[in-house]
Amino acid sequence: MRELRKGRFRQTCYGMMRWPLALALVACCPLLATAQSPDMFNPSSPDAAEIRELFYLVLAISAIIFLLVGGALAYFIVRFRDPPGAPRDDTEPPQIYGSQPIEIAWTLAPTLIVFVLSLVVIRSVIAMRSDPPEAGVIRVRAVGHQWWWEFEYPDYGFTTANELVIPSSEVDAEKPVYLQLESADVIHSFWIPKLAGKTDLVPGQTNRMRLQADTPGLYEGRCAEYCGTQHARMLIRVNAVEMAEFEKWIENQKRPAVVAPGVEAGRQIFMDQACANCHTIRGEPAVGKFGPDLTHLMSRETIAAGVLENNRENLSDWLADPDHAKPGSRMPNMRLSPTEVKQLVDYLMTLE
Amino acid sequence: MAIAESGQSSASSPLVTQLHGWVTTVDHKRIGIMYILMSFFFMVVGGIEALLIRMQLWVPDNTLIGPDTFNQLFTMHGTTMIFFVVMPMLTGIANYLVPLMIGCRDVAFPRLNALGFWLSLFGGCILYTCYFTGDALYGLGSAPDVGWFAYAPLTSPAYARGGAVDYWILGTSVSGVGALTFAVNLVATILTMRAPGMKLNQVPLFVWMMLIDAWLILVAFPPLTAAQIMLILDRYAGAHFFDPQSGGSALLWQHLFWFFGHPEVYIMVLPAFGIISEIIPVFSRKVIFGYASMAAATAAIGLISLGVWAHHMFTVGLDDRLDAYFSAASFLIAIPTGIKVFNWTATLYGGRLQMRTPMLFALGFLSMFLIGGLTGIMLATVPVDWQVSDSYFLVAHFHYVLFGGSLFALMGGCYYWFPKATGKMLSEKLGLWHFWLLFIGFNLLFGPMHISGILGMPRRVYTYQAGQGWEFWNQVSTVGAFIMGFGILFFFINIAVSLRSGKKAGDDPWDAWTLEWATSSPPPSYNFEQILAVRSRRPLWDLKHPEDPDWKYE
Ligand code: HEM
Ligand SMILES: [Cu+2]
């Protein structure tokens, strides 16, 4: 009986270090398979790529330490385990009180690693936080709200929401965008893992961040600092497009809204109801600042900060009851009749 | 004997007398046990909260738990685990053991000690009364939902209406005062009441680490209390400490909070270090390797941990030079921590390892703390932190340190000293179930979180969208959480069964070397019939090996 139990102990000891190792191995396979994730291991900008290299560096150092210490641990456990089945031996093993040379050695080794790492960190922090060049850069003022994003292009004089459009870098020219990060209420954090690390938006302070996309495409991200009820649904979409397309987009956004024929009823409801108090439609009497700018609403793919696809059905649901799609949303339920909803949506759908 | 025990523990006395005895006690051992029971209670509560969190994250766009409830759950879970599980458990174990280990009859201020316990418990009760205050059924939906670090301005009157945040402030600050009384008491006890002949560099390492621990509590908790008072003034007296719109600063809260919060991490983990430093030698049958460097490393950790708080703030836009300093200082902690890990490992060398449950927990601690420590180095690398902080990678990291590290070791301590406190052994068989379910469940739960974090999943989200590659990892985590839940069930079953019908322990069941084993199990209320003269770090070794005593080498 006693022997049996000791046998099990032996197995448990072997198992001990196997677990983390096996886990690490299992972990590696699907990592490769999930390239569609917004992950930091498939970077698409120089900064994100540099962070990945740094990550690999510390990962390698950690792995070596893990293998050394974990290996020693595992080896000692197996080697010096009380032999199973052997009669209990009452003499004590030799007592080792310490060893100055060894202790000094394993104090100096980590000191060296730490010193080198610190230098590496200082170098890359300075590189990544460099000042924007004087001229010719694209600036965007990004403001975090509970729970959506405002993006103002001050040099072009318009504002949009939730979907940031930037030029992608071309073959020979880097096109970084400089973000000026602010908050309208609580702390948020701007995080597009493939493009850069996160930077917080702190009320009462302006932070800066460089954003660059090597290739055209849609880059997803999220608010990364807990900011209240719908923190989970504060998505960011960065659309990197080629320069020509970017310029076309800019031209369209600069235009004020055009009043289309046949939607006067919806337009009236918008201006009379509380909508206009919170939303802006440029060229119209709606100049509210509390909610997203709706001037070119239909140029966006999503509504409610990336949560719903932007189409007639979702727009109708949203107007009928914002709380349904996004409980706690700061947009009030306007208690509109179904006809009013329909007329409003008809109007909104013309904001292209 | 008769005098000391009168009115306390005669078996025939009715329940009321018994209860009265416990409620009015000033005996450090009973207070210690009450702390531990309190911790068990809140462990169940916080554990259920955690399981609910994991259930909600089982599939994308889950509607099981709404956003508000979820946000309350993680706030209450974090607050509970830190202030009302780990803190009381370490306080309880230290309260029970330190006087026994240094061979004295009680702590320096027994009544203050009792006050400390009741304040801690009272704090927990205040926090949880929030559940009885809302308008909804049983007040559900009225707990604080601001995260355990309660960042301003989310906690300012403009964004946190109602009383929930006030319950958080009151509950944690009252228990914080309790922690302060404990710390004062412990420092005084260790410095002034050691057995005759016991020098400070001869106390058991657990005592050393608790001394540093208590000192850290004394430095770290007052700033928290101050910050909490400022927040109350903001909320009720129209002050604007943390309100940027009126000249206050949102980051001030973070500085004050993390000046407490970072040392708090070490406050939670130093007792674990201490416990490991007692268990590993005894179950390896060897003296600890490098006693002096262990103690020195602890002191160094204590000091450095006071100067690294802003590594929780690398993303808030501090000056580059500040980031660089806080990064380097954080790396620095790796050196003394490394020394400790090396010393523990070296103690195993050439020993005769007895794989009993306390030892399994100690080795489990070592392997998981190793992982948590290494991911800590990654987080201290500022640009890497910009990517992984506030993601699930961070959640994984701090659970490896706090759960795999701190709580595992504390549980190991429960196995090690249970025979001393109750006179009964815990069942090895149930202990094995407890350990392995916990260990496997733990790694399944928190291992995959490293990956979901790297894949871009932020923490504190009540739901996520499909198609991000996160489902699989979340499901593994949830399965792990339930396996671990079962593991903890075995812990409580083990305690119940062993109390009833456990093997008799005897005074010194592990053949150990420190003074607490030199008295009966459980010890009488005055601790020792007679206090041994102490000449070395292992007084019982000297007694058992008169031919080769320790003091020859020290
Ligand atoms: C049954 C075991 C546990 C499980 C399943 C668990 C699970 C979790 C999960 C999933 C979160 C993340 C919630 C989120 O960020 O959205 C979390 C947060 C947290 N956990 Fe645990 N945990 C467990 C035990 C512990 C223990 C033992 C401690 C402390 C020693 C702890 C401390 C924390 C803290 C401080 C937070 C952060 C809360 C916040 O974000 O405000 N947990 N836990
Ligand atoms: Cu946010």
Side-chain angles (χ1 to χ4, degrees):
Chain A
M1 187 59 210
R2 189 186 167 87
E3 277 184 29
L4 232 159
R5 182 169 301 173
K6 286 219 165 167
R8 193 161 66 209
F9 271 127
R10 175 224 292 252
Q11 282 188 347
T12 56
C13 307
Y14 287 137
M16 193 138 215
M17 290 321 295
R18 251 193 341 227
W19 257 99
L21 286 177
L23 245 144
L25 278 180
V26 176
C28 290
C29 315
L31 237 163
L32 305 171
T34 48
Q36 86 278 15
S37 310
D39 70 323
M40 52 173 281
F41 275 164
N42 291 294
S44 209
S45 82
D47 283 356
E50 167 147 6
I51 294 180
R52 181 181 62 172
E53 299 316 310
L54 260 180
F55 189 95
Y56 284 153
L57 174 71
V58 273
L59 187 66
I61 295 175
S62 302
I64 292 170
I65 299 176
F66 180 78
L67 288 178
L68 283 179
V69 181
L73 195 60
Y75 176 71
F76 291 170
I77 290 174
V78 174
R79 168 78 176 67
F80 298 110
R81 183 176 28 90
D82 213 2
R88 171 95 168 85
D89 175 355
D90 275 331
T91 59
E92 304 280 13
Q95 304 291 306
I96 307 167
Y97 291 85
S99 151
Q100 227 171 34
I102 293 181
E103 287 173 66
I104 289 175
W106 71 36
T107 310
L108 288 184
T111 309
L112 200 71
I113 298 177
V114 158
F115 183 69
V116 173
L117 262 184
S118 301
L119 292 183
V120 173
V121 165
I122 290 169
R123 199 211 54 181
S124 60
V125 168
I126 290 172
M128 273 183 252
R129 285 239 183 105
S130 61
D131 290 325
E134 296 285 304
V137 297
I138 297 167
R139 291 167 214 277
V140 179
R141 184 170 155 264
V143 185
H145 295 260
Q146 280 179 326
W147 293 278
W148 61 279
W149 303 91
E150 174 186 344
F151 296 122
E152 182 191 346
Y153 290 68
D155 299 330
Y156 303 104
F158 67 84
T159 299
T160 176
N162 296 327
E163 295 179 9
L164 181 62
V165 179
I166 61 170
S168 64
S169 295
E170 262 127 58
V171 189
D172 48 347
E174 300 205 333
K175 291 270 183 313
V177 172
Y178 283 84
L179 298 184
Q180 183 184 322
L181 302 168
E182 292 163 27
S183 166
D185 36 52
V186 301
I187 301 173
H188 303 273
S189 191
F190 189 94
W191 187 30
I192 315 283
K194 287 190 193 221
L195 299 186
K198 58 185 73 68
T199 308
D200 292 356
L201 303 92
V202 183
Q205 150 178 350
T206 302
N207 283 342
R208 202 157 41 69
M209 147 175 212
R210 181 169 63 197
L211 204 64
Q212 174 174 341
D214 291 338
T215 49
L218 177 69
Y219 300 95
E220 290 181 72
R222 281 165 179 75
C223 175
E225 179 63 60
Y226 175 66
C227 55
T229 309
Q230 281 295 352
H231 164 61
R233 293 229 170 118
M234 195 168 161
L235 278 53
I236 314 165
R237 294 158 70 88
V238 174
N239 208 351
V241 297
E242 276 167 9
M243 201 58 196
E245 199 183 329
F246 180 71
E247 276 159 1
K248 230 172 68 198
W249 180 81
I250 290 280
E251 285 315 310
N252 184 47
Q253 297 290 319
K254 274 172 26 186
R255 281 186 305 115
V258 184
V259 184
V263 292
E264 190 51 36
R267 180 171 170 272
Q268 267 315 312
I269 301 172
F270 192 94
M271 303 306 160
D272 296 346
Q273 294 275 356
C275 313
N277 296 347
C278 290
H279 296 283
T280 294
I281 295 179
R282 254 177 306 119
E284 294 278 3
V287 291
K289 284 279 176 212
F290 187 73
D293 184 308
L294 301 180
T295 311
H296 296 283
L297 178 64
M298 295 322 285
S299 70
R300 302 180 208 148
E301 287 170 5
T302 62
I303 56 171
V307 175
L308 298 171
E309 201 188 319
N310 186 6
N311 56 33
R312 168 169 282 278
E313 202 192 341
N314 286 338
L315 273 173
S316 309
D317 288 350
W318 175 255
L319 294 185
D321 183 8
D323 243 23
H324 179 70
K326 211 165 169 176
S329 160
R330 292 286 191 230
M331 168 152 156
N333 185 338
M334 238 72 69
R335 311 205 176 282
L336 303 163
S337 72
T339 357
E340 288 174 317
V341 169
K342 184 181 171 303
Q343 289 168 331
L344 265 173
V345 173
D346 284 344
Y347 171 59
L348 292 179
M349 302 277 292
T350 67
L351 299 173
E352 292 185 326
Chain B
M1 186 126 192
I3 304 166
E5 302 237 315
S6 66
Q8 278 195 5
S9 69
S10 85
S12 61
S13 57
L15 197 66
V16 188
T17 327
Q18 285 261 350
L19 217 63
H20 185 259
W22 280 90
V23 171
T24 55
T25 188
V26 292
D27 177 354
H28 70 96
K29 297 184 290 299
R30 287 192 156 196
I31 292 172
I33 289 172
M34 289 195 291
Y35 266 117
I36 293 171
L37 291 178
M38 165 184 168
S39 160
F40 288 168
F41 171 77
F42 281 109
M43 195 197 293
V44 173
V45 176
I48 292 173
E49 285 159 351
L51 290 181
L52 289 172
I53 294 176
R54 285 310 331 166
M55 275 158 66
Q56 165 69 13
L57 296 175
W58 172 250
V59 283
D61 295 312
N62 198 354
T63 50
L64 182 71
I65 293 171
D68 285 323
T69 312
F70 186 92
N71 297 342
Q72 294 170 14
L73 281 174
F74 72 68
T75 303
M76 292 296 272
H77 164 73
T79 310
T80 304
M81 287 296 184
I82 286 176
F83 289 96
F84 303 109
V85 177
V86 177
M87 286 299 284
M89 199 184 293
L90 71 89
T91 313
I93 293 180
N95 237 311
Y96 195 98
L97 285 172
V98 166
L100 287 171
M101 283 184 159
I102 61 175
C104 66
R105 302 216 182 276
D106 204 336
V107 290
F109 312 108
R111 277 162 215 281
L112 188 68
N113 203 16
L115 177 70
F117 166 72
W118 293 107
L119 283 175
S120 299
L121 183 62
F122 192 41
C125 295
I126 293 178
L127 180 68
Y128 272 87
T129 34
C130 66
Y131 274 119
F132 301 99
T133 60
D135 332 318
L137 187 65
Y138 300 122
L140 284 175
S142 50
D145 61 350
V146 290
W148 85 276
F149 37 71
Y151 275 180
L154 198 59
T155 41
S156 70
Y159 303 103
R161 301 202 180 80
V165 170
D166 306 319
Y167 284 99
W168 180 87
I169 297 174
L170 283 177
T172 50
S173 55
V174 166
S175 77
V177 175
L180 278 171
T181 65
F182 157 75
V184 171
N185 218 334
L186 206 69
V187 171
T189 309
I190 296 173
L191 290 186
T192 64
M193 297 175 67
R194 295 188 305 277
M198 186 185 261
K199 295 194 218 98
L200 198 53
N201 73 356
Q202 288 173 338
V203 299
L205 277 174
F206 178 76
V207 175
W208 250 115
M209 304 205 187
M210 283 315 305
L211 179 64
I212 310 280
D213 200 68
W215 183 76
L216 272 181
I217 292 178
L218 287 179
V219 180
F221 270 78
L224 173 68
T225 312
Q228 288 171 323
I229 292 172
M230 289 157 79
L231 187 56
I232 280 280
L233 290 176
D234 264 16
R235 288 174 64 78
Y236 288 102
H240 297 285
F241 290 112
F242 306 120
D243 173 13
Q245 257 139 31
S246 310
S249 157
L251 290 190
L252 177 61
W253 171 267
Q254 294 194 19
H255 281 295
L256 288 171
F257 185 89
W258 289 117
F259 187 79
F260 149 79
H262 191 77
E264 169 70 1
V265 175
Y266 287 92
I267 291 169
M268 290 189 278
V269 89
L270 284 184
F273 289 176
I275 290 170
I276 297 309
S277 308
E278 298 303 320
I279 292 179
I280 286 188
V282 168
F283 290 89
S284 309
R285 309 310 308 159
K286 287 205 37 224
V287 64
I288 188 91
F289 189 93
Y291 174 99
S293 63
M294 279 299 223
T298 315
I301 289 175
L303 266 178
I304 304 171
S305 77
L306 291 171
V308 302
W309 74 90
H311 71 204
H312 298 265
M313 300 166 64
F314 283 150
T315 61
V316 304
L318 297 178
D319 189 280
D320 290 353
R321 284 160 293 182
L322 281 181
D323 279 350
Y325 159 75
F326 278 106
S327 173
S330 308
F331 284 138
L332 226 49
I333 285 207
I335 300 170
T337 312
I339 293 178
K340 285 178 164 292
V341 173
F342 298 145
N343 280 358
W344 289 319
T345 312
T347 304
L348 300 174
Y349 180 82
R352 204 164 44 236
L353 313 191
Q354 295 167 349
M355 289 296 163
R356 313 294 298 272
T357 354
M359 184 65 159
L360 284 182
F361 272 94
L363 296 173
F365 160 90
L366 257 187
S367 57
M368 286 179 296
F369 184 75
L370 181 61
I371 296 175
L374 291 173
T375 52
I377 296 186
M378 298 182 187
L379 285 162
T381 309
V382 182
V384 173
D385 178 89
W386 291 338
Q387 282 285 18
V388 292
S389 79
D390 267 328
S391 78
Y392 259 87
F393 188 92
L394 184 91
V395 179
H397 158 73
F398 72 69
H399 280 93
Y400 266 86
V401 176
L402 289 184
F403 195 148
S406 186
L407 204 60
F408 254 68
L410 289 166
M411 283 177 176
C414 289
Y415 276 89
Y416 183 50
W417 284 296
F418 185 88
K420 176 52 55 184
T422 64
K424 300 273 179 63
M425 301 298 285
L426 278 170
S427 151
E428 277 288 312
K429 201 161 132 205
L430 291 172
L432 273 185
W433 275 98
H434 173 204
F435 174 77
W436 283 109
L437 285 175
L438 209 61
F439 189 78
I440 293 168
F442 176 90
N443 282 294
L444 279 180
L445 168 57
F446 297 112
M449 286 187 187
H450 291 114
I451 298 161
S452 42
I454 285 170
L455 295 182
M457 180 161 167
R459 70 195 283 209
R460 295 173 169 173
V461 291
Y462 79 97
T463 193
Y464 52 94
Q465 293 71 35
Q468 315 275 328
W470 299 346
E471 294 94 322
F472 175 71
W473 302 112
N474 276 289
Q475 298 196 343
V476 178
S477 282
T478 304
V479 170
F482 278 89
I483 294 179
M484 210 168 58
F486 276 112
I488 294 193
L489 211 61
F490 273 95
F491 186 34
F492 293 127
I493 294 176
N494 197 351
I495 289 173
V497 169
S498 304
L499 273 181
R500 206 167 257 279
S501 53
K503 236 174 41 205
K504 274 235 174 329
D507 292 354
D508 183 13
W510 311 115
D511 192 10
W513 305 307
T514 36
L515 277 186
E516 77 270 27
W517 305 104
T519 180
S520 63
S521 307
S525 63
Y526 46 86
N527 288 356
F528 296 95
E529 295 279 355
Q530 209 172 14
I531 291 169
L532 286 170
V534 176
R535 291 185 72 185
S536 81
R537 290 166 187 157
R538 295 191 297 173
L540 297 201
W541 170 278
D542 297 351
L543 208 67
K544 292 169 186 171
H545 301 272
E547 77 293 348
D548 188 26
D550 258 4
W551 46 263
K552 280 197 192 153
Y553 302 94
E554 278 170 14

